[in-house]
Amino acid sequence: MRFLNRKLTKRITVLLFTILSFAFSGFSLHEQDIHLQGDRNDNQQAQRKNLPEGSGFSSTNVKQDAGEMPVYGHWKSFTKKDGLPADKAFCVRIDGDRVLVGTSAGLAVYEDGKWHTYTTEDGLAYNSILSIDVSELTGDVWIGTMGGLTRWSAGSFYTFTQFNSGLANDVIYSVICDGKDVWVATAGGAGHYDTYADQWEIYMQNNAPMHEPWTYGVCAGGGKIFIAAWGGGVIEYNTSTKKFRDYVDPDGQMELDVFPDDGLVHDITTGVSWADGVLWVGTYFGLSWYDGAHWKGYFDKDSGLLSNFINFVKADGQVGWICTDKGLSSFDGKTWVNYQKNENHDGGKVLVTHGKDTKTYPSPTSFANNFILGVDFQGDEIWVATSKGVSRGERIK
Amino acid sequence: MKTILKWLMFSFLLLFPVFQLTGQEKKKNYGNTPDEIVPYKRFQKAYLNFFDTIQPFTGPGREKAPPANLSEVRIGFLGPLAGSVMVPQGKQMLNGAALAIEEANKGGGYHGIPFKLMVHNDVGLWGAAANKVVEMNDEGVWAFLGTIDGTNSHVALRMTLKLEIPMINTGDPDPTLTETRIPWLIRVISDDRQSSYALAEYIYHIKGLSRAAVVRVDNRYGRVGITEFREASLRMGHPLVLEVRYAEGDTVFTKQIQRITDASPDAIVLWGNAKEAGVLIKQIRAAGIKLPIFGSDRLMSPELLKIAGKDAEGLVTTCQYNPKLDDPKLKAFQKHYYDRFGIEPDVFAAHAYDGMNIIIAAIRKAGLNRYRIRDALTDMKTFQGYHGVTGKIIFDPSWNDIGSIWMTEVRDGKYIFFHSPLDTLVVK
Amino acid sequence: MRKKRLVYLGAIFVVIGLIIIPAHNLARKHVNYMTAVDDHPLDCISCHLYTQRDNFLAKIVNAPYLSPFNLAVSPDGSKLYVVAQEGNALLVVDNQSDQVTDKIPVGLQPHSVVINRDGNTAFVSNEWADNVYEIDLPSLKVTDTLITGNGPAGMVLSKDEKFLYVVDSYSNEVSIIDLNTKTEKKRLVAGNNPVGAALSPSGDLVYVTSRRILPRPYRAPISTEMTVIDAAKQRVIERKKFRDAYIMENVTFSPTGDLAVATLIRPKNLMPSIQVEQGWMMTYGMGIIEPGKNGRIFQLLTDEPNAYYSDPFDVVVTPDGKKAFISNSGVDVITVIDLNKVRKLLATSTPEMLKTYSDHLGISSRYVLKRIRTGANPKGMVLSPDGKHLYVTERLEDKVAVINTETLEIEKQIDLGGPGRVTVARKGRRLFNNSGHTFQNQYGCYTCHPDANEDGVVYNMAGVGMGRNLTNTLSLFDIGDTHPYKWNGHNQSVYKQDGMRFSTFLTRTEPFDYDQLDALVAYIITGIKNPPNLRYNPTGELTEIQKRGEKIFFRTHTNFGKEIPINNRCYICHPPPHFTNRKLENVGTLAETDDSIPFDTPDLIDLFAGGPYLHDGRAATLEEIWTKYGTEDRHGVINDLTKNQLNDLIEYLKSIRDSRYYPKDYHKILKELNK
């Protein structure tokens, strides 16, 4: 009886343990349904990207693997300690021999190996700078800030605001120069300033195919202006006919994408860039590519794209550069070359993806942070604006 | 071996109810969408469902040390306080937020440092909300609460990612607000998706009606709010027979009423502010139309009852909380609010009170670091199931509140609250 | 019979007396009212004949003056090319015979002329036509029209003569014209109201002056820009700022390029005008730049204690680099500067000392060699290629003075063949441009109203109280039909505006005598034309944006369908053709320091040429009138407008121009809109 009791006790204990184990795991799984899916997805993503490991950062290997895609390395980063006014760099623009960086605490200019800072005390509209462009015609620098649009011309600052000019809103998410026109995407509409005619024309929901006036990005190309309209997809403006047309997500749903290649992946667009007949559109839900006839959608789950959360895009010839919250992706339609910083040290890795095949090459250097906000190129240099500094890379030959 | 197998079999039998339980907790449709009206469900599986997972914020900032020698801990407030038809609601929202701050300060503030509300009016020239968020950033707020108007909320939201300020929305039911994937926003009020589904279920399934005519205000609230109802109606097999608009401030609705008559509906759905809706209801009834009238959340308002009078009888609306619930927490809030401001709190006051308490709790938990405050707000643990005066707050992976929505019916000049049919359709 | 005659005669006298005496009284009353004095001669002609405009009488009374403005000399020195600003012509003057040999018609209101090195091509900028004429000098034919920005003024040729830099004075730009393609290659942003340009001796740099002040916080100290263009890159590389100075008309380089000298004015606009009777209200001098890296920028006055040499216009330096000549057009003087003494002063001065010199009235004695008196209103100057002669246009004499640069004496005056008589309006124009009636010649009307426009600066006229009633200088373009005058409408006529009170507040010396006043009024009413609004309304056909704005201007209901009260509609207070109802209104922009009085409704013609705006100049731009200062819907109803609607309205306002430039049926259109 005592034996039976002991045996029974043991069995009951095992049984209870088994039940509890299963039950616990069931509940845990359920909890993960909501709580941990994001992290789990990240982990899976990271594992997928990391496999298979390559043979180390050999410029020969990575170059061979990348084919015609440019590959950058030998990164050097600059932060507040190096002379930047703030670590957070929203944008970067190369202007001849100097590099202009829009930070959260002013305009930083890198020239002759030194950083110089310009702030509101110098005449800047506001110290947080979201976008910079340089007029090829005049050399004037146009600076989009959170408090107005500043023209920086030969050392002098002049600011356009929504109160002293036709500017739609003082928060300038994007500014570009297109000949004599300066285009802006603002929190209250997009528009352009004709510097010759001294005339503003702004586009909002009452005079353009936008549901709302919120715009996030603007680019020029092929005689057209493309505006990333937050919630309104992409608005195309033909500079010759002065007509608009819009591109939206065909499925009309915010929470899903039915087909990846049927049009824009989402109506919440965060950036646009055009080069060589191709329009690249960034969203917080993936990347869209449009050659004037066909759309293609790219996501982190089905391509080399590092993350669906895209802060900025920039086209350079056939290559699109995608600034994401998990690193920098580049893509020419065939090959992905991605850059990620290691979280624990200054090194990073270069990931080259062809189709479903990804090879990883450790890199002894990397950029300042994986939260990439801007990128620009000149010659063999690449500059990257990140949330924790600005970095310069050199093209590997 | 046999024994082991027996035990295994036995265990499975015992575990069956557990699987059943977890089976009930099967993956929910986004936004508590009833199976019947999930977009494209009958035709095509979506290539991607964006809100199956949460969007992490991967940027740096959590390492930033708190500032020294702070004399106050600032929290922003953005709402319609002057120059808008929504000012009464904005003031209620401000009261709710202020009450939470005052109570928190009585409770010691943040480690003895008082909280201070930095109040901003979101009504202004052209996209003023964006400029106001910039101002709040300059003021050094740790988070902010706002606002009601859909446009202003969106404009403000876009700044939060750039400026990295946590934002809590407690008054804008625009579904698209949390569908932007910006990981700096949480919402603690049910959205128009919930309102639309509740109304659609009620109208088509409970009341058995099938020909709804919509009259809506021509602004973002009306346009975006009705979208889900329109689509739900369509997927339920009852496409709207009419959708007609009016402008904010309109007082004569002859054209709209004529079009209702022409469309021969069996139900009228109004989506707009209480003021115009009250007048509209009066004119609908005066025109001899006796059809049942249903309305969006903003029609649950004393202002509407005052304007529409007896003609409001039978009006059914949604509402994002039930002020009549017998909840001690709610009762205490209502008493404190009345004692402090001399008026009854409305839905905006109650949600602002909850939202501000959540901000305060997040700051107390995470410390003076916006990134860690954001983490606390969005970790889906700290505030998941938060029991506020408005009820239980349940966040979905887009940090949208998919907690219960209520319905009301005007009877004898009063709003009578009852459960939404959604409560029986989806597991909370 | 005699008695009868006497009775008749007496009756006639009585009748005549009964007519004349009341008529005289009425006339007296009228003149007293119009002039605000009781002793102005009862001379109907002075007011009613000389102020006639655009009719047969006006043609008889007035005369077609040439008004030589700028000039150039041929490379061999044999010919002068003189721009006749009013004559709309380029005059060719033979230097041997002192005769005008040819008169080449050019565009409206020509400004400057430059000649290429071989002397075969001239370029004439037509300020009111937005183009430059290319003229083949051997054949005296206009061979091409080069399109520029708005208001082309000063010009320079690049050293290789492949590009022409044209200063667009109204659009604040520099057009770079490719002379190979004859098209504008690009425009660079210059300062505010740029006018003069100079090429450095090396050809590397182009300096561009500007007259009006740079944007700055309201009532903050002023500054004006000298724009520096890199000629190789064709980009602006520097914007040099002259503090507390404006109206930089022209600039030149010394032959070695060690100095660049510009003319300028230093207004004391932050002081109450009571300072006039102490002197030093407006001072005049040179802005000097040492080109090159770390080169200094400083200012030296050319005035003397108790004597001011107003409105410096042009500056030239002799080929040996020793002397500079400045035309002081407000006092009919050429000031001769010993540049070596200036160099010496600079060599021995610290930055602090130089700062002091910029306000020092006595320092000029160290470097001013001589003052040479000229005919009325000396403007543009040019030196003969050998540097021995200085040619000066005497704008209001229709002559060119020839000065020996060694003896510093006028050798002769070349008569350009103007009408030869001085009309009343011409006399008034001379008065307008001359500072002789202000205490110690401190300024003339022209000083604050350059080109009869406004100088863009706010003054405290210090009539009743200092610091009260700040006033923005207003344009005088075609104001004959826009009475009353003054921001508060207190002056019912130009007579009153420029009469006794004028001397009390402004000149602080004897007032104009009545002949002078009549002449001044005749000029102001008849001689100051609105420029064409070529930038914003070149053809009279409104653009789509302007048309939308026009609808808003003439609207009667808000966006929400609410009727706008009649007296709060734009077109009620600003009706065409002058866009003023000439009544007083309160638009809610009275400053705390203003007397509590309504404002005179200003006309809106050629608003583009103005700014700042509002009676005290607090609105830097048209937008600010409503976005910053008129937010309560008292200055028209605006708050319902979307931002692009406000932009439309502003584009329409900028398009408004003088009715003489409108198509014939425009008033009909407006009438329809009014309905």
Side-chain angles (χ1 to χ4, degrees):
Chain A
M1 188 66 189
R2 282 176 66 192
F3 169 76
L4 272 175
N5 279 348
R6 206 167 59 229
K7 203 171 178 182
L8 190 63
T9 309
K10 198 176 172 185
R11 284 178 181 180
I12 289 170
T13 308
V14 170
L15 176 64
L16 281 174
F17 181 76
T18 312
I19 291 167
L20 283 172
S21 300
F22 271 92
F24 184 72
S25 62
F27 283 122
S28 298
L29 274 172
H30 161 59
E31 209 175 20
Q32 277 190 353
D33 269 353
I34 287 178
H35 298 166
L36 304 175
Q37 273 187 14
D39 295 337
R40 190 172 62 198
N41 195 53
D42 296 342
N43 294 337
Q44 287 169 351
Q45 189 71 24
Q47 282 166 19
R48 186 173 61 78
K49 300 289 182 198
N50 283 332
L51 291 173
E53 191 70 34
S55 56
F57 191 74
S58 151
S59 57
T60 310
N61 288 347
V62 73
K63 271 302 294 171
Q64 277 176 356
D65 197 9
E68 291 176 6
M69 283 286 286
V71 179
Y72 292 90
H74 310 300
W75 294 92
K76 177 171 172 52
S77 293
F78 303 89
T79 64
K80 210 170 169 182
K81 288 176 192 164
D82 304 294
L84 276 183
D87 282 351
K88 182 146 189 173
F90 289 112
C91 56
V92 59
R93 177 71 163 81
I94 300 169
D95 178 29
D97 296 334
R98 61 183 183 175
V99 180
L100 313 171
V101 179
T103 78
S104 59
L107 172 69
V109 180
Y110 187 69
E111 200 167 16
D112 299 328
K114 286 180 186 165
W115 288 99
H116 306 274
T117 298
Y118 299 89
T119 66
T120 50
E121 287 185 10
D122 300 292
L124 200 62
Y126 192 76
N127 283 340
S128 288
I129 297 166
L130 300 177
S131 181
I132 301 171
D133 201 17
V134 182
S135 165
E136 285 181 18
L137 212 57
T138 64
D140 291 347
V141 179
W142 292 83
I143 303 164
T145 80
M146 290 187 186
L149 175 69
T150 295
R151 181 187 65 214
W152 189 37
S153 176
S156 278
F157 294 87
Y158 179 79
T159 288
F160 299 83
T161 69
Q162 66 190 67
F163 299 109
N164 75 3
S165 74
L167 181 66
N169 184 270
D170 284 350
V171 176
I172 317 288
Y173 287 108
S174 179
V175 57
I176 57 145
C177 300
D178 181 37
K180 64 185 172 64
D181 290 323
V182 178
W183 282 83
V184 288
T186 82
H192 71 96
Y193 175 59
D194 181 333
T195 60
Y196 283 13
D198 180 34
Q199 189 177 77
W200 282 93
E201 187 149 21
I202 58 177
Y203 306 110
M204 315 162 72
Q205 71 277 27
N206 59 1
N207 62 350
M210 302 177 188
H211 296 305
E212 306 292 352
W214 325 315
T215 54
Y216 222 81
V218 61
C219 73
K224 291 169 182 168
I225 301 294
F226 299 95
I227 299 161
W230 179 264
V234 173
I235 311 293
E236 177 188 291
Y237 176 78
N238 188 311
T239 53
S240 305
T241 63
K242 301 195 182 305
K243 302 275 185 206
F244 286 99
R245 68 163 295 184
D246 61 336
Y247 301 95
V248 292
D249 180 6
D251 60 43
Q253 301 300 318
M254 299 286 280
E255 69 269 31
L256 51 82
D257 193 36
V258 180
F259 300 107
D261 299 332
D262 60 347
L264 273 176
V265 298
H266 204 275
D267 288 347
I268 305 268
T269 49
T270 60
V272 279
S273 189
W274 187 98
D276 282 6
V278 172
L279 180 70
W280 302 76
V281 185
T283 79
Y284 291 150
F285 304 84
L287 173 74
S288 283
W289 178 100
Y290 180 57
D291 66 0
H294 307 97
W295 285 94
K296 283 189 79 67
Y298 297 96
F299 304 97
D300 55 10
K301 80 165 192 177
D302 61 9
S303 74
L305 183 65
L306 283 171
S307 167
N308 290 341
F309 196 86
I310 298 169
N311 289 313
F312 184 75
V313 288
K314 174 132 184 143
D316 184 35
Q318 283 292 312
V319 182
W321 291 82
I322 303 106
C323 303
T324 80
D325 64 339
K326 290 176 186 164
L328 179 66
S329 287
S330 61
F331 182 53
D332 64 357
K334 294 176 200 161
T335 306
W336 291 87
V337 179
N338 293 324
Y339 304 83
Q340 271 187 319
K341 183 186 182 301
N342 192 301
E343 295 297 337
N344 304 319
H345 58 74
D346 289 342
K349 59 194 169 195
V350 180
L351 303 99
V352 181
T353 302
H354 302 278
K356 291 181 179 176
D357 178 36
T358 297
K359 283 186 180 169
T360 303
Y361 301 89
S363 166
T365 59
S366 189
F367 33 62
N369 191 271
N370 281 329
F371 204 89
I372 313 285
L373 293 164
V375 64
D376 200 15
F377 321 87
Q378 191 175 68
D380 290 333
E381 279 190 0
I382 184 173
W383 283 77
V384 177
T386 84
S387 254
K388 204 156 187 184
V390 65
S391 305
R392 180 187 64 207
E394 290 172 15
R395 187 163 180 170
I396 296 164
K397 293 182 176 171
Chain B
M1 193 63 190
K2 267 187 179 177
T3 316
I4 293 168
L5 276 173
K6 274 182 191 170
W7 273 112
L8 271 173
M9 289 293 288
F10 186 63
S11 301
F12 270 109
L13 279 172
L14 278 170
L15 276 170
F16 188 70
V18 176
F19 283 123
Q20 281 291 87
L21 188 63
T22 53
Q24 268 192 12
E25 296 284 353
K26 69 177 182 179
K27 192 179 151 194
K28 286 180 279 190
N29 296 322
Y30 166 70
N32 273 351
T33 309
D35 280 345
E36 184 186 8
I37 52 178
V38 170
Y40 301 99
K41 189 171 183 181
R42 293 173 203 169
F43 315 105
Q44 175 72 36
K45 186 175 183 293
Y47 185 71
L48 256 181
N49 289 296
F50 295 122
F51 301 114
D52 279 355
T53 58
I54 61 166
Q55 172 61 43
F57 174 68
T58 60
R62 294 167 180 87
E63 72 288 356
K64 285 185 184 172
N69 305 321
L70 270 189
S71 59
E72 56 196 21
V73 174
R74 294 178 170 182
I75 300 172
F77 174 91
L78 184 67
L81 299 175
S84 158
V85 292
M86 297 304 290
V87 168
Q89 290 81 355
K91 287 187 174 166
Q92 285 262 9
M93 192 166 93
L94 177 60
N95 290 345
L99 185 64
I101 293 278
E102 287 168 12
E103 288 175 0
N105 284 338
K106 278 180 198 161
Y110 174 77
H111 298 311
I113 307 169
F115 290 104
K116 186 178 180 190
L117 204 56
M118 309 303 290
V119 180
H120 293 269
N121 181 21
D122 70 1
V123 183
L125 284 168
W126 320 301
N131 313 119
K132 294 296 173 187
V133 180
V134 174
E135 280 178 32
M136 285 193 271
N137 183 56
D138 291 342
E139 291 166 353
V141 302
W142 295 100
F144 76 94
L145 182 145
T147 178
I148 297 175
D149 176 74
T151 297
N152 290 339
S153 299
H154 263 288
V155 169
L157 166 65
R158 293 206 313 165
M159 295 307 297
T160 63
L161 179 66
K162 296 289 183 190
L163 292 168
E164 294 172 343
I165 308 178
M167 172 182 177
I168 285 201
N169 182 277
T170 62
D172 177 15
D174 176 349
T176 66
L177 187 66
T178 47
E179 291 170 342
T180 51
R181 223 172 191 190
I182 290 183
W184 287 84
L185 166 78
I186 68 168
R187 170 158 57 192
V188 293
I189 185 169
S190 297
D191 66 1
D192 283 339
R193 198 180 273 275
Q194 306 305 309
S195 277
S196 294
Y197 297 161
L199 278 176
E201 285 289 336
Y202 189 78
I203 293 168
Y204 302 123
H205 292 164
I206 308 283
K207 290 290 178 183
L209 301 166
S210 61
R211 294 175 55 80
V214 166
V215 187
R216 70 164 175 88
V217 65
D218 189 12
N219 62 15
R220 185 171 175 86
Y221 172 70
R223 179 168 58 78
V224 178
I226 204 67
T227 303
E228 295 298 336
F229 180 78
R230 187 196 305 121
E231 293 190 3
S233 301
L234 186 68
R235 291 185 196 120
M236 286 177 172
H238 308 296
L240 301 181
V241 296
L242 173 71
E243 185 177 331
V244 61
R245 294 172 284 178
Y246 60 86
E248 245 176 325
D250 274 2
T251 52
V252 179
F253 300 95
T254 318
K255 284 179 192 167
Q256 289 85 351
I257 291 168
Q258 184 59 49
R259 291 198 56 194
I260 292 171
T261 309
D262 294 346
S264 304
D266 60 10
I268 297 172
V269 178
L270 307 183
W271 212 286
N273 295 330
K275 193 176 169 185
E276 292 92 352
V279 179
L280 181 54
I281 289 169
K282 271 189 91 70
Q283 292 182 13
I284 288 172
R285 295 305 184 217
I289 300 171
K290 292 178 180 165
L291 297 171
I293 301 178
F294 306 88
S296 63
D297 57 310
R298 288 191 187 173
L299 270 60
M300 204 293 286
S301 158
E303 191 183 7
L304 182 135
L305 293 184
K306 200 175 159 188
I307 296 168
K310 285 182 181 174
D311 291 332
E313 285 298 304
L315 169 71
V316 172
T317 78
T318 56
C319 182
Q320 291 97 341
Y321 96 126
N322 180 354
K324 307 293 181 191
L325 270 185
D326 188 20
D327 180 341
K329 208 170 179 178
L330 173 62
K331 297 292 172 202
F333 161 70
Q334 287 168 328
K335 182 182 181 307
H336 294 157
Y337 189 95
Y338 188 84
D339 290 348
R340 174 69 178 80
F341 302 109
I343 51 172
E344 299 290 342
D346 71 359
V347 62
F348 296 99
H351 281 95
Y353 179 78
D354 278 351
M356 190 52 72
N357 275 320
I358 287 176
I359 291 179
I360 289 163
I363 292 174
R364 282 175 171 162
K365 182 189 175 192
L368 296 179
N369 177 300
R370 285 180 181 173
Y371 307 86
R372 282 187 259 133
I373 294 167
R374 188 215 76 91
D375 288 348
L377 291 171
T378 59
D379 65 10
M380 302 294 281
K381 290 174 188 162
T382 309
F383 298 106
Q384 186 67 297
Y386 177 85
H387 183 188
V389 298
T390 57
K392 200 174 173 188
I393 293 165
I394 308 288
F395 294 108
D396 75 1
S398 70
W399 299 296
N400 193 19
D401 179 0
I402 53 170
S404 291
I405 192 156
W406 293 83
M407 299 194 76
T408 71
E409 183 173 349
V410 180
R411 286 183 212 154
D412 300 327
K414 287 179 182 168
Y415 288 100
I416 307 299
F417 290 82
F418 58 96
H419 280 281
S420 143
L422 287 183
D423 287 349
T424 56
L425 278 179
V426 291
V427 178
K428 296 290 177 187
Chain C
M1 192 66 188
R2 258 180 90 182
K3 201 176 172 184
K4 209 175 175 181
R5 278 184 193 167
L6 281 170
V7 170
Y8 282 139
L9 204 62
I12 290 166
F13 274 115
V14 169
V15 170
I16 292 171
L18 284 172
I19 295 168
I20 287 178
I21 292 166
H24 177 273
N25 287 345
L26 274 174
R28 183 72 260 163
K29 218 171 168 182
H30 166 70
V31 171
N32 289 359
Y33 172 75
M34 293 304 287
T35 60
V37 292
D38 55 14
D39 61 349
H40 191 283
L42 273 183
D43 179 2
C44 300
I45 290 174
S46 68
C47 300
H48 295 285
L49 179 63
Y50 299 128
T51 54
Q52 293 295 317
R53 284 170 286 159
D54 302 327
N55 59 22
F56 174 68
L57 283 174
K59 278 180 186 158
I60 293 173
V61 171
N62 295 315
Y65 290 101
L66 295 168
S67 302
F69 192 50
N70 280 307
L71 75 175
V73 64
S74 61
D76 62 2
S78 65
K79 283 177 182 165
L80 288 177
Y81 299 96
V82 185
V83 171
Q85 194 183 39
E86 267 189 288
N88 297 327
L90 182 69
L91 309 176
V92 184
V93 180
D94 185 302
N95 236 346
Q96 296 298 315
S97 63
D98 296 339
Q99 295 295 312
V100 174
T101 56
D102 294 286
K103 186 175 176 183
I104 307 165
V106 295
L108 208 57
Q109 187 98 348
H111 186 283
S112 291
V113 56
V114 293
I115 310 290
N116 69 352
R117 261 196 300 275
D118 65 17
N120 286 332
T121 309
F123 298 94
V124 177
S125 56
N126 300 309
E127 196 173 19
W128 286 14
D130 285 4
N131 58 40
V132 168
Y133 277 3
E134 182 192 78
I135 297 169
D136 179 62
L137 291 175
S139 65
L140 303 173
K141 294 267 193 285
V142 176
T143 50
D144 221 321
T145 302
L146 313 173
I147 306 301
T148 65
N150 192 207
M155 295 176 289
V156 288
L157 279 162
S158 63
K159 193 152 193 176
D160 58 10
E161 298 195 335
K162 287 181 178 170
F163 295 97
L164 181 69
Y165 290 77
V166 185
V167 180
D168 302 323
S169 61
Y170 299 153
S171 56
N172 303 333
E173 294 160 324
V174 176
S175 292
I176 300 178
I177 310 287
D178 183 334
L179 292 177
N180 188 31
T181 61
K182 307 286 175 68
T183 56
E184 186 184 43
K185 185 180 176 191
K186 60 166 83 171
R187 286 186 206 171
L188 304 175
V189 176
N192 190 1
N193 190 205
V195 276
L199 184 72
S200 66
S202 64
D204 294 342
L205 302 173
V206 177
Y207 275 22
V208 179
T209 64
S210 51
R211 300 203 293 188
R212 295 177 71 162
I213 60 173
L214 292 168
R216 88 289 186 213
Y218 186 55
R219 298 288 284 164
I222 63 169
S223 67
T224 306
E225 178 178 309
M226 176 75 78
T227 312
V228 183
I229 299 169
D230 181 317
K233 293 179 184 166
Q234 296 186 334
R235 286 187 172 187
V236 177
I237 54 166
E238 198 177 354
R239 297 182 186 276
K240 295 180 185 289
K241 290 182 182 66
F242 283 90
R243 311 279 171 197
D244 305 317
Y246 76 158
I247 315 285
M248 287 197 299
E249 292 276 8
N250 280 293
V251 60
T252 192
F253 283 89
S254 65
T256 58
D258 67 328
L259 295 176
V261 185
T263 56
L264 55 75
I265 300 177
R266 290 175 61 79
K268 308 299 180 285
N269 61 303
L270 297 177
M271 288 182 180
S273 65
I274 195 167
Q275 177 66 34
V276 178
E277 63 196 48
Q278 317 298 321
W280 201 63
M281 183 72 196
M282 306 285 268
T283 55
Y284 306 90
M286 305 176 280
I288 300 177
I289 296 168
E290 292 176 324
K293 219 174 183 181
N294 305 321
R296 292 176 291 180
I297 302 176
F298 47 91
Q299 299 170 47
L300 293 174
L301 297 184
T302 50
D303 300 322
E304 296 161 16
N306 307 323
Y308 296 86
Y309 292 86
S310 64
D311 302 333
F313 180 77
D314 205 357
V315 55
V316 292
V317 176
T318 52
D320 60 8
K322 290 179 182 172
K323 291 191 199 95
F325 297 90
I326 293 171
S327 55
N328 296 106
S329 57
V331 286
D332 304 340
V333 157
I334 303 298
T335 296
V336 187
I337 308 289
D338 185 332
L339 278 181
N340 281 341
K341 287 186 178 168
V342 170
R343 290 185 180 98
K344 193 176 169 189
L345 185 72
L346 303 182
T348 55
S349 302
T350 63
E352 289 71 27
M353 288 161 79
L354 287 174
K355 203 175 171 193
T356 306
Y357 295 158
S358 63
D359 282 322
H360 199 306
L361 289 168
I363 200 79
S364 64
S365 62
R366 298 201 201 174
Y367 44 77
V368 171
L369 277 175
K370 190 170 181 185
R371 313 279 187 181
I372 307 168
R373 300 217 70 82
T374 67
N377 205 217
K379 285 287 183 181
M381 298 186 291
V382 68
L383 283 160
S384 59
D386 59 9
K388 288 180 180 170
H389 291 97
L390 174 71
Y391 303 98
V392 184
T393 58
E394 295 172 342
R395 182 161 66 155
L396 300 181
E397 299 280 357
D398 281 356
K399 289 177 182 168
V400 171
V402 183
I403 295 171
N404 185 311
T405 56
E406 289 301 319
T407 63
L408 302 181
E409 299 288 344
I410 291 186
E411 285 187 350
K412 58 185 174 183
Q413 281 178 299
I414 302 171
D415 191 336
L416 298 174
R421 66 187 173 101
V422 178
T423 63
V424 173
R426 187 68 160 183
K427 183 181 169 188
R429 189 173 183 185
R430 286 183 180 175
L431 284 166
F432 185 91
N433 281 271
N434 197 280
S435 307
H437 282 269
T438 307
F439 182 65
Q440 296 176 347
N441 300 344
Q442 284 180 81
Y443 48 79
C445 306
Y446 183 92
T447 308
C448 298
H449 295 282
D451 297 342
N453 195 3
E454 55 196 77
D455 65 354
V457 171
V458 174
Y459 293 93
N460 177 202
M461 291 310 183
V464 180
M466 283 190 279
R468 295 191 62 76
N469 298 332
L470 302 178
T471 46
N472 181 24
T473 312
L474 293 177
S475 164
L476 302 181
F477 292 151
D478 256 333
I479 62 168
D481 294 322
T482 62
H483 53 83
Y485 304 106
K486 200 176 171 182
W487 68 275
N488 54 20
H490 276 187
N491 296 333
Q492 59 271 32
S493 69
V494 181
Y495 284 95
K496 185 179 177 187
Q497 176 78 26
D498 293 348
M500 184 65 81
R501 283 163 182 77
F502 189 69
S503 69
T504 311
F505 295 134
L506 279 169
T507 61
R508 305 270 173 178
T509 179
E510 289 300 307
F512 296 113
D513 66 35
Y514 290 136
D515 281 348
Q516 290 171 332
L517 185 58
D518 288 347
L520 187 61
V521 172
Y523 167 64
I524 289 174
I525 289 185
T526 67
I528 303 173
K529 301 271 188 294
N530 273 307
N533 186 347
L534 295 178
R535 190 177 198 196
Y536 300 103
N537 191 351
T539 63
E541 183 67 32
L542 299 185
T543 64
E544 286 306 310
I545 299 174
Q546 290 163 348
K547 281 179 188 166
R548 291 196 301 265
E550 185 183 46
K551 278 188 181 167
I552 294 168
F553 187 85
F554 287 101
R555 71 183 183 152
T556 55
H557 289 76
T558 67
N559 279 344
F560 307 116
K562 203 174 155 190
E563 185 170 2
I564 300 169
I566 287 178
N567 59 0
N568 211 10
R569 298 175 188 171
C570 306
Y571 68 91
I572 294 296
C573 296
H574 297 283
H578 298 294
F579 291 85
T580 169
N581 63 358
R582 304 190 302 199
K583 290 181 182 162
L584 305 181
E585 303 287 347
N586 183 357
V587 293
T589 51
L590 210 63
E592 281 184 13
T593 51
D594 287 334
D595 295 337
S596 182
I597 40 180
F599 306 107
D600 174 37
T601 304
D603 73 86
L604 305 181
I605 293 169
D606 284 352
L607 275 180
F608 77 93
Y613 301 97
L614 296 179
H615 73 287
D616 55 3
R618 78 181 86 154
T621 62
L622 286 169
E623 284 84 356
E624 284 190 0
I625 293 173
W626 294 284
T627 58
K628 284 178 84 170
Y629 304 112
T631 56
E632 294 172 353
D633 275 354
R634 291 175 68 187
H635 189 177
V637 174
I638 294 294
N639 285 340
D640 65 307
L641 296 181
T642 60
K643 179 65 173 163
N644 49 7
Q645 285 179 313
L646 180 61
N647 287 359
D648 292 345
L649 176 64
I650 282 165
E651 290 307 321
Y652 172 66
L653 294 177
K654 288 195 291 192
S655 79
I656 294 173
R657 61 181 194 164
D658 194 320
S659 57
R660 69 165 62 91
Y661 301 116
Y662 282 100
K664 280 178 187 168
D665 60 348
Y666 191 72
H667 293 294
K668 210 171 131 190
I669 297 166
L670 289 175
K671 213 172 168 185
E672 285 302 311
L673 275 165
N674 270 314
K675 280 180 188 171

